[in-house]
């Protein structure tokens, strides 16, 4: 009898050793840790993060894991959610998009919270993070079409990965890991509405919730709780319920021969991933040709059909919240035209009242391209045509944005991003100290690592 999908995953996850990881994979983990910690410092100030922190402080509980920046120690399950939301809150953390999108770094706090709970070394945490990226990204290739195209949110994929990350650090047996995947995979299917239409705080929260739930599932399995083994392929399991067309090889074959983290992308802009090539192209046109906002007649953005559906939704032309604005291509394009940059400040309450942005936004139109659709996701094409009031036209065409593995962010790019996000919390000396600590973290414990992130 063939082994279940979960059992094959569990055996690989528990068998992987730090010594099995190539040097470039370990370095990439550190790059994503640096990027993600920077995003967490940026999320420190957000209303949604502070609401959750306040709730958990009122609940109290055993001091097991540290909140990044704040320094509070709360139960590991709860710290996982707050820290994951901190990384996710500005929509500035990493992105992988194939058949499905995902943000694998949402899972990093599961490794950090459980690593601190059990007294793990950062070498063990690094292995857990490699597993997070490996299976989150493989699940993005599993369904054809992806679950997002079936109107489900990608947190539906994360539910299967978070117990793997936590379970590895908890030292689960293969059977316990199988149970943990089954426990979490039975109840965390997330509908697509958090990222459709008018967005709310739940846009950034559903994936961290799936991360948190997987940690709890792993703790349940550690205590002897059983879970469904055939949660993927069994009767009324994931594949049965979500419909046909699955790529088993993409999920399971070639494990350990190469590592998916090397294929993930970072974000150069704090916006929805499908906006990035368009923003890069728009800024190229505007800056290269020194076009002022008042000179704009029309801006036509040609993109894939699914981007038109998500990013040019009517709600996106009058965003009332940061969560909607950073998923609104019209708003992002308008802000880029006005300020010649996109930063976290582009979505402040003050900036969202800027009359210059509202003077441009209705001049921006989306155009769907079947040709571009066929190129995606191998390429993320964008064509931006700016017509000025004197009848001239300027255009740019790009196939992938800054941060893509084909045009990776440099160490200088990462440092600039980290320093901008953490500037309100850390001095320049502390920024350098945190960076140095992260890039040498294999030599310390997870507890020491988390302690050095407290402001």
């Amino acid at each position: 009898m063939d082994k279940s999908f979960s059992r094959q995953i569990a055996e690989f996850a528990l068998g992987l050793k730090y010594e099995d990881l190539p040097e470039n994979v370990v370095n990439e983990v550190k790059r994503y840790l640096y990027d993600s910690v920077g995003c967490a410092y940026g999320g420190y100030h957000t209303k949604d993060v502070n609401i959750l922190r306040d709730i958990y402080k009122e609940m109290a509980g055993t001091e097991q894991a540290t909140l990044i920046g704040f320094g509070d120690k709360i139960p590991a399950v709860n710290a996982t959610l707050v820290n994951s939301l901190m990384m996710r809150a500005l929509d500035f953390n990493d992105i992988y998009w194939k058949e499905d999108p995902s943000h694998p770094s949402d899972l990093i706090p599961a490794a950090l919270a459980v690593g601190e709970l059990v007294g793990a070394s950062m070498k063990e945490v690094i292995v857990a993070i490699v597993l997070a990226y490996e299976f989150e990204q493989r699940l993005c290739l599993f369904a054809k079409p992806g679950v997002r195209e079936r109107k489900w949110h990608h947190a539906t994929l994360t539910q299967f990965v978070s117990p793997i990350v936590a379970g590895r650090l908890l030292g689960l047996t293969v059977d316990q890991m199988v149970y943990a995947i089954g426990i979490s995979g039975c109840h965390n299917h997330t509908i697509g509405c958090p990222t459709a239409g008018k967005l709310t705080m739940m846009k950034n929260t559903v994936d961290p919730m799936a991360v948190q739930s997987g940690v709890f599932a792993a703790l349940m399995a550690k205590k002897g709780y059983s879970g469904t083994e055939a949660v993927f392929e069994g009767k009324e399991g994931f594949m049965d319920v979500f419909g046909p067309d699955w790529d088993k090889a993409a999920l399971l074959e070639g494990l350990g021969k190469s590592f998916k983290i090397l294929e993930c992308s970072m974000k150069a802009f704090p916006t929805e991933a499908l906006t990035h090539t368009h923003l890069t192209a728009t800024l190229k046109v505007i800056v290269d040709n020194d076009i002022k906002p008042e000179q704009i007649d029309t801006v036509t953005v040609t993109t894939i059909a699914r981007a038109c559906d998500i990013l040019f939704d009517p709600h996106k032309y009058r965003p009332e919240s940061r969560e909607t604005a950073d998923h609104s291509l019209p708003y992002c394009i308008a802000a880029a035209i006005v300020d010649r940059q996109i930063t976290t400040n582009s979505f402040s309450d003050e900036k969202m009242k800027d009359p210059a942005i509202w003077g441009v936004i209705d001049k921006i139109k989306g155009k769907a391209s079947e040709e571009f659709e066929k190129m995606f996701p191998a390429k993320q094409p964008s064509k931006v045509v700016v017509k000025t009031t004197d009848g001239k036209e300027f255009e740019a065409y790009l196939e992938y944005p800054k941060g893509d593995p084909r045009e990776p962010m440099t160490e200088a790019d990462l440092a600039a991003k980290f320093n901008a996000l953490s500037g309100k919390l850390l001095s320049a000396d502390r920024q350098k100290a945190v960076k140095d600590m992260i890039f040498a973290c294999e030599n310390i414990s997870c507890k020491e690592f988390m302690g050095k992130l407290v402001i």
Side-chain angles (χ1 to χ4, degrees), residues 61-133:
T62 307
E63 296 182 351
Q64 297 176 331
T66 305
L67 296 188
I68 295 171
F70 294 107
D72 306 319
K73 286 187 176 293
I74 62 176
V77 171
N78 301 344
T80 297
L81 177 56
V82 179
N83 285 338
S84 184
L85 181 59
M86 284 180 74
M87 291 181 183
R88 185 84 195 94
L90 297 180
D91 207 350
F92 210 173
N93 58 333
D94 58 8
I95 179 67
Y96 182 74
W97 198 317
K98 295 301 180 185
E99 292 294 330
D100 271 304
S102 71
H103 305 279
S105 62
D106 289 356
L107 289 143
I108 287 176
L112 295 175
V114 179
E116 190 174 2
L117 171 67
V118 302
S121 69
M122 280 303 293
K123 285 185 177 179
E124 274 297 296
V125 170
I126 286 170
V127 174
I129 292 171
V130 169
L131 292 170
Y133 278 78

Side-chain angles (χ1 to χ4, degrees), residues 233-287:
E233 72 275 27
K235 182 179 180 181
E236 299 184 11
F238 183 53
M239 298 162 69
D240 188 11
V241 169
F242 277 69
D245 300 323
W246 303 86
D247 188 346
K248 178 181 176 182
L251 180 62
L252 297 170
E253 288 187 4
L255 287 166
K257 293 181 180 178
S258 61
F259 293 91
K260 288 293 183 183
I261 193 171
L262 300 175
E263 300 173 16
C264 197
S265 298
M266 293 179 175
K267 283 190 172 185
F269 305 110
T271 60
E272 203 274 348
L274 289 176
T275 67
H276 285 209
T277 314
H278 308 307
L279 286 170
T280 305
T282 300
L283 285 167
K284 180 175 176 57
V285 172
I286 296 299
V287 173

